[in-house]
Coordinates of all heavy atoms in Angstrom, one line a residue:
V360 N 114.6 76.0 101.6 CA 113.7 75.6 100.5 C 114.3 74.8 99.5 O 115.4 75.1 99.0 CB 113.0 76.9 99.9 CG1 112.1 76.5 98.7 CG2 112.3 77.7 100.9
G361 N 113.7 73.6 99.2 CA 114.3 72.7 98.1 C 114.1 73.3 96.8 O 115.1 73.5 96.0
T362 N 112.8 73.6 96.4 CA 112.5 74.1 95.1 C 111.5 75.2 95.2 O 110.5 75.0 95.8 CB 112.0 73.1 94.1 OG1 112.9 72.0 94.0 CG2 111.7 73.6 92.7
A363 N 111.8 76.4 94.6 CA 110.8 77.5 94.6 C 110.7 78.0 93.2 O 111.7 78.4 92.6 CB 111.3 78.7 95.6
T364 N 109.5 78.0 92.7 CA 109.2 78.5 91.4 C 108.1 79.6 91.4 O 107.0 79.3 91.8 CB 108.7 77.4 90.4 OG1 109.7 76.3 90.5 CG2 108.6 77.9 89.0
A365 N 108.6 80.9 91.2 CA 107.7 82.0 91.3 C 107.4 82.6 89.9 O 108.4 82.8 89.1 CB 108.3 83.1 92.2
G366 N 106.2 82.9 89.6 CA 105.8 83.5 88.3 C 106.4 84.9 88.3 O 106.7 85.4 87.2
T367 N 106.4 85.6 89.4 CA 107.0 86.9 89.5 C 108.2 86.9 90.4 O 109.2 86.3 90.0 CB 105.9 88.0 90.0 OG1 105.5 87.6 91.3 CG2 104.8 88.1 89.0
S368 N 108.2 87.5 91.6 CA 109.4 87.6 92.4 C 109.6 86.5 93.4 O 108.6 85.9 93.8 CB 109.4 89.0 93.1 OG 108.3 89.0 94.0
L369 N 110.8 86.3 93.7 CA 111.2 85.3 94.8 C 112.0 86.0 95.8 O 113.0 86.7 95.4 CB 112.0 84.1 94.2 CG 112.7 83.2 95.2 CD1 111.6 82.5 96.0 CD2 113.5 82.2 94.4
A370 N 111.6 86.0 97.1 CA 112.4 86.6 98.2 C 112.5 85.7 99.3 O 111.5 85.1 99.8 CB 111.7 87.9 98.6
M371 N 113.7 85.4 99.8 CA 114.0 84.6 100.9 C 114.8 85.4 101.9 O 115.8 86.0 101.6 CB 114.7 83.3 100.6 CG 113.9 82.3 99.8 SD 114.8 80.8 99.5 CE 115.2 80.2 101.1
L372 N 114.4 85.3 103.2 CA 115.1 86.0 104.3 C 115.4 85.0 105.4 O 114.4 84.3 105.9 CB 114.3 87.1 104.8 CG 114.8 87.8 106.1 CD1 116.1 88.5 105.9 CD2 113.7 88.8 106.6
A373 N 116.6 84.9 105.9 CA 117.0 84.2 107.1 C 117.5 85.3 108.1 O 118.5 85.9 107.8 CB 118.1 83.1 106.8
R374 N 116.7 85.5 109.1 CA 117.0 86.6 110.0 C 118.2 86.4 110.9 O 118.8 87.4 111.3 CB 115.7 86.9 110.9 CG 114.6 87.5 110.1 CD 113.4 87.9 111.0 NE 113.0 86.8 111.9 CZ 112.2 85.8 111.6 NH1 111.7 85.8 110.4 NH2 111.9 84.9 112.5
S375 N 118.5 85.1 111.3 CA 119.6 84.9 112.2 C 120.4 83.7 111.9 O 121.5 83.5 112.5 CB 119.1 84.9 113.6 OG 118.2 83.9 113.8
G376 N 120.0 82.8 111.0 CA 120.7 81.6 110.8 C 120.9 81.3 109.3 O 121.0 82.2 108.5
Q377 N 121.0 80.0 109.0 CA 121.3 79.5 107.7 C 120.2 79.8 106.7 O 119.0 79.7 107.0 CB 121.4 77.9 107.8 CG 121.7 77.2 106.5 CD 123.1 77.4 106.1 OE1 124.0 77.7 106.9 NE2 123.4 77.2 104.8
L378 N 120.6 80.1 105.4 CA 119.6 80.3 104.3 C 120.1 79.3 103.2 O 121.2 79.3 102.8 CB 119.6 81.7 103.7 CG 118.6 81.9 102.7 CD1 118.1 83.4 102.7 CD2 119.0 81.5 101.3
T379 N 119.2 78.3 102.9 CA 119.5 77.3 101.9 C 118.4 77.3 100.8 O 117.3 77.2 101.2 CB 119.7 75.9 102.5 OG1 120.7 76.0 103.6 CG2 120.1 74.9 101.5
L380 N 118.8 77.4 99.6 CA 117.9 77.2 98.4 C 118.5 76.2 97.5 O 119.6 76.4 97.0 CB 117.7 78.6 97.7 CG 116.9 78.6 96.5 CD1 115.5 78.1 96.7 CD2 116.9 79.9 95.8
G381 N 117.7 75.2 97.2 CA 118.2 74.2 96.2 C 118.1 74.8 94.8 O 119.1 75.1 94.2
T382 N 116.8 74.9 94.3 CA 116.6 75.5 93.0 C 115.6 76.6 93.1 O 114.5 76.3 93.6 CB 116.1 74.4 92.0 OG1 117.1 73.4 91.9 CG2 115.8 75.0 90.6
G383 N 115.9 77.8 92.6 CA 115.0 78.9 92.7 C 114.8 79.5 91.3 O 115.8 79.7 90.6
T384 N 113.6 79.8 90.9 CA 113.3 80.4 89.6 C 112.3 81.5 89.9 O 111.2 81.3 90.5 CB 112.6 79.4 88.6 OG1 113.5 78.3 88.5 CG2 112.4 80.0 87.3
A385 N 112.6 82.7 89.4 CA 111.7 83.9 89.5 C 111.5 84.5 88.1 O 112.5 84.7 87.4 CB 112.4 84.9 90.4
G386 N 110.2 84.8 87.8 CA 109.9 85.4 86.5 C 110.5 86.8 86.5 O 110.8 87.3 85.4
T387 N 110.5 87.5 87.6 CA 111.1 88.8 87.6 C 112.3 88.8 88.5 O 113.4 88.4 88.1 CB 110.0 89.9 88.1 OG1 109.6 89.5 89.4 CG2 108.9 89.9 87.2
T388 N 112.3 89.4 89.7 CA 113.5 89.5 90.6 C 113.6 88.4 91.6 O 112.6 87.8 92.0 CB 113.4 90.9 91.3 OG1 112.2 90.9 92.1 CG2 113.4 92.0 90.3
A389 N 114.8 88.2 92.0 CA 115.1 87.2 93.1 C 116.0 87.9 94.1 O 117.0 88.6 93.7 CB 115.9 86.0 92.5
D390 N 115.6 87.7 95.4 CA 116.3 88.4 96.5 C 116.6 87.4 97.6 O 115.6 87.0 98.2 CB 115.5 89.6 96.9 CG 116.2 90.5 98.0 OD1 117.4 90.2 98.2 OD2 115.6 91.4 98.5
L391 N 117.8 87.0 97.8 CA 118.2 86.2 98.9 C 118.9 87.0 100.0 O 120.0 87.6 99.6 CB 119.0 85.0 98.5 CG 118.5 84.1 97.3 CD1 119.5 83.0 97.0 CD2 117.1 83.6 97.6
T392 N 118.5 87.0 101.2 CA 119.1 87.8 102.3 C 119.3 86.9 103.5 O 118.4 86.4 104.1 CB 118.3 89.0 102.6 OG1 118.0 89.8 101.5 CG2 119.0 89.9 103.7
K393 N 120.6 86.8 103.9 CA 120.9 86.1 105.2 C 121.5 87.1 106.2 O 122.5 87.8 105.8 CB 122.0 85.0 104.8 CG 122.3 84.1 106.0 CD 123.7 84.5 106.5 CE 124.1 83.9 107.8 NZ 123.4 84.5 108.9
Q394 N 120.9 87.2 107.3 CA 121.3 88.1 108.4 C 121.8 87.3 109.5 O 121.6 86.1 109.6 CB 120.1 89.0 108.8 CG 119.6 89.8 107.7 CD 118.3 90.5 108.1 OE1 117.6 90.2 109.1 NE2 117.9 91.6 107.4
G395 N 122.5 88.0 110.5 CA 123.0 87.3 111.7 C 124.3 86.7 111.6 O 124.9 86.6 110.5
A396 N 124.9 86.3 112.7 CA 126.3 85.9 112.8 C 126.5 84.4 112.5 O 127.6 83.9 112.3 CB 126.9 86.2 114.2
T397 N 125.4 83.6 112.6 CA 125.5 82.1 112.4 C 125.0 81.7 111.1 O 124.1 82.3 110.5 CB 124.8 81.3 113.5 OG1 123.4 81.6 113.5 CG2 125.4 81.7 114.9
G398 N 125.5 80.6 110.6 CA 125.0 80.0 109.3 C 125.6 80.7 108.1 O 126.3 81.7 108.2
T399 N 125.3 80.2 106.9 CA 125.8 80.8 105.7 C 124.6 80.9 104.7 O 123.5 80.4 105.0 CB 126.9 80.0 105.0 OG1 126.4 78.6 104.7 CG2 128.1 79.9 106.0
L400 N 124.8 81.5 103.6 CA 123.9 81.5 102.5 C 124.3 80.5 101.4 O 125.5 80.6 100.9 CB 123.7 82.9 101.9 CG 122.6 83.1 100.8 CD1 122.1 84.5 100.9 CD2 123.1 82.7 99.4
Q401 N 123.5 79.5 101.1 CA 123.8 78.5 100.1 C 122.7 78.4 99.1 O 121.5 78.3 99.4 CB 124.0 77.1 100.7 CG 125.2 77.1 101.7 CD 125.3 75.7 102.3 OE1 124.3 75.1 102.7 NE2 126.5 75.2 102.5
A402 N 123.0 78.6 97.8 CA 122.0 78.4 96.7 C 122.7 77.6 95.6 O 123.7 77.9 95.1 CB 121.6 79.8 96.2
T403 N 122.0 76.5 95.3 CA 122.6 75.6 94.2 C 122.3 76.2 92.9 O 123.2 76.3 92.1 CB 122.0 74.2 94.4 OG1 122.2 73.7 95.7 CG2 122.6 73.2 93.4
T404 N 121.1 76.5 92.6 CA 120.7 77.1 91.3 C 119.7 78.2 91.5 O 118.7 78.0 92.1 CB 120.1 76.1 90.3 OG1 121.0 75.0 90.2 CG2 119.8 76.6 88.9
L405 N 119.9 79.4 90.9 CA 119.0 80.5 91.0 C 118.9 81.2 89.7 O 119.9 81.6 89.1 CB 119.5 81.5 92.1 CG 118.6 82.8 92.2 CD1 117.2 82.5 92.7 CD2 119.3 83.8 93.2
T406 N 117.7 81.3 89.1 CA 117.5 81.9 87.8 C 116.4 83.0 88.0 O 115.3 82.7 88.5 CB 117.0 80.9 86.8 OG1 118.0 79.8 86.7 CG2 116.8 81.5 85.4
S407 N 116.7 84.2 87.5 CA 115.7 85.3 87.6 C 115.6 85.9 86.2 O 116.5 86.0 85.4 CB 116.1 86.3 88.6 OG 117.3 87.0 88.2
G408 N 114.3 86.4 85.9 CA 114.1 87.1 84.7 C 114.6 88.6 84.8 O 114.9 89.2 83.8
G409 N 114.7 89.1 86.0 CA 115.2 90.4 86.3 C 116.5 90.3 87.1 O 117.3 89.4 87.0
D410 N 116.7 91.3 88.0 CA 117.8 91.3 88.9 C 117.8 90.2 89.9 O 116.8 89.8 90.4 CB 117.9 92.6 89.6 CG 118.2 93.8 88.7 OD1 118.7 93.6 87.6 OD2 118.0 94.9 89.2
A411 N 119.0 89.6 90.2 CA 119.2 88.6 91.2 C 120.1 89.3 92.3 O 121.3 89.7 91.9 CB 119.8 87.4 90.7
T412 N 119.6 89.5 93.5 CA 120.4 90.1 94.6 C 120.6 89.1 95.7 O 119.7 88.6 96.2 CB 119.6 91.4 95.1 OG1 119.4 92.2 94.0 CG2 120.5 92.1 96.1
I413 N 121.9 89.0 96.1 CA 122.3 88.0 97.1 C 123.1 88.8 98.2 O 124.1 89.4 97.8 CB 123.1 86.9 96.5 CG1 122.2 86.1 95.5 CG2 123.6 85.9 97.6 CD1 123.0 85.3 94.5
T414 N 122.6 88.7 99.4 CA 123.2 89.5 100.5 C 123.4 88.5 101.7 O 122.5 87.9 102.1 CB 122.3 90.7 100.9 OG1 122.0 91.4 99.8 CG2 123.0 91.5 102.0
S415 N 124.7 88.5 102.2 CA 124.9 87.6 103.3 C 125.8 88.3 104.4 O 126.8 88.9 104.0 CB 125.6 86.3 102.9 OG 125.9 85.5 104.0
S416 N 125.4 88.2 105.6 CA 126.2 88.8 106.7 C 127.4 87.9 107.1 O 128.2 88.3 107.9 CB 125.3 89.0 107.9 OG 124.8 87.8 108.3
T417 N 127.5 86.7 106.5 CA 128.6 85.8 106.7 C 129.2 85.4 105.4 O 129.7 86.2 104.7 CB 128.1 84.5 107.5 OG1 127.1 83.9 106.8 CG2 127.7 84.9 108.9
D418 N 129.0 84.1 105.0 CA 129.6 83.6 103.7 C 128.5 83.3 102.7 O 127.3 83.0 103.1 CB 130.5 82.4 103.9 CG 131.7 82.6 104.8 OD1 132.2 83.8 104.8 OD2 132.1 81.7 105.5
S419 N 128.8 83.2 101.4 CA 127.9 82.8 100.4 C 128.5 81.7 99.6 O 129.6 81.8 99.1 CB 127.5 83.9 99.4 OG 126.8 84.9 100.1
S420 N 127.8 80.6 99.4 CA 128.2 79.5 98.5 C 127.1 79.3 97.4 O 126.0 79.0 97.7 CB 128.3 78.2 99.3 OG 128.6 77.1 98.4
L421 N 127.5 79.7 96.2 CA 126.6 79.7 95.1 C 127.0 78.8 94.0 O 128.2 78.7 93.6 CB 126.6 81.2 94.5 CG 126.4 82.3 95.5 CD1 126.6 83.6 94.9 CD2 125.0 82.2 96.2
G422 N 126.1 78.0 93.5 CA 126.3 77.1 92.4 C 126.2 77.9 91.1 O 127.2 78.4 90.6

Side-chain angles (χ1 to χ4, degrees):
V360 175
T362 302
T364 306
T367 59
S368 63
L369 170 62
M371 286 182 64
L372 170 64
R374 291 184 309 276
S375 59
Q377 181 75 21
L378 187 151
T379 303
L380 174 63
T382 301
T384 304
T387 59
T388 59
D390 187 6
L391 307 181
T392 303
K393 186 255 166 290
Q394 300 172 339
T397 62
T399 62
L400 187 151
Q401 296 177 319
T403 304
T404 305
L405 178 63
T406 303
S407 66
D410 291 344
T412 304
I413 299 163
T414 306
S415 176
S416 58
T417 58
D418 297 331
S419 294
S420 177
L421 309 172

